Amino acid sequence: MARTRIFRSGNSQAVRIPREFRLSGTEVEIFRRGGEIVLREVRDPGLAAAFELLAELPPEIDDRADAPPQEREGL
C-alpha cells in the first residue's frame, strides 16, 4: 500500500498522487464509500460504464418476487 501527503492549496485540501497511480484524464469523480474516499477517472459514458454500474449493485437488489404473467385474450 502506498502512502502520500495531504497539503493545503488555497482553501482546499490536496493530495499528491504517486507516479504509479497517475491519471490520464483532466477530471475525476470523488465520493465516499464507507470509510474510504474514492477517486475515479471521468470517462465517456457508454455501454461498458452501464455494465460496470450494474456490477457494483449489491446481490440482494435482485431478491424480489415477480408476479406470474397475466392471462390475456389474443388479438
Side-chain angles (χ1 to χ4, degrees):
M1 182 170 302
R3 295 183 107 173
T4 189
R5 297 194 180 269
I6 299 172
F7 60 96
R8 298 211 33 100
S9 177
N11 288 331
S12 299
Q13 251 187 342
V15 176
R16 292 194 189 280
I17 299 176
R19 179 172 287 157
E20 63 265 22
F21 298 104
R22 190 169 285 168
L23 304 169
S24 59
T26 59
E27 192 175 15
V28 296
E29 297 172 329
I30 183 170
F31 59 94
R32 287 189 184 271
R33 182 172 42 202
E36 301 175 327
I37 296 174
V38 178
L39 297 176
R40 182 169 49 197
E41 288 186 80
V42 175
R43 56 183 175 263
D44 292 331
L47 198 51
F51 283 119
E52 285 179 26
L53 288 173
L54 288 173
E56 292 175 9
L57 291 174
E60 61 270 6
I61 197 115
D62 200 26
D63 291 345
R64 62 180 187 267
D66 288 336
Q70 297 176 353
E71 295 288 329
R72 297 187 179 185
E73 284 185 33
L75 295 175

